[in-house]
Amino acid sequence: NHEQAEQSRIKLISFIEELGKEHPFDAARVYLCGFSQGAIMAYSVALTRPDLVRGIAAMSGRLLEEVKPLVKPSPALKQLSVFISHGTQDGTLPVHYAREADAYLRSIGITPTLKTYNEGHTINAVMLADLLVWLK
């Protein structure tokens, strides 16, 4: 539901902004990590407000087409770090979503790390370990 996704994107941006007012933080140290719908929201927030985060980990998610027109070139966007992980056997959100996101990000000057696994719509220990290595 595009309307609900947009409302959620705006709420998450507002939350991060308000959190920063109450507890000042360095956006260069903020990473969003999400699985499935959480990954969708991580893409949506980071690509439209890269000034609020340093990077995202999108696990078994997808990048909404409706978000792409909202993405504006900026130095912060070029600095965004992105980790994409996805199961090749995912029947809920097929792996082509990860490959499409990877291609789109590369087309706008972001070089993500893409990892695929012989898994379904899940997070296993290897996926989590790869995420932790990437975060370091």
Side-chain angles (χ1 to χ4, degrees), residues 20-45:
K21 288 176 188 173
E22 291 180 31
H23 308 282
F25 59 83
D26 179 3
R29 298 184 53 146
V30 176
Y31 288 80
L32 301 177
C33 179
F35 173 77
S36 195
Q37 189 171 0
I40 292 169
M41 296 316 304
Y43 279 129
S44 297
V45 170

Side-chain angles (χ1 to χ4, degrees), residues 5-54:
E6 180 61 9
Q7 288 171 358
S8 295
R9 183 185 74 84
I10 292 167
K11 283 181 183 179
L12 284 167
I13 288 169
S14 293
F15 172 74
I16 295 169
E17 290 173 334
E18 288 301 314
L19 184 63
K21 288 176 188 173
E22 291 180 31
H23 308 282
F25 59 83
D26 179 3
R29 298 184 53 146
V30 176
Y31 288 80
L32 301 177
C33 179
F35 173 77
S36 195
Q37 189 171 0
I40 292 169
M41 296 316 304
Y43 279 129
S44 297
V45 170
L47 292 174
T48 60
R49 289 297 307 274
D51 58 307
L52 295 178
V53 299
R54 173 67 178 99

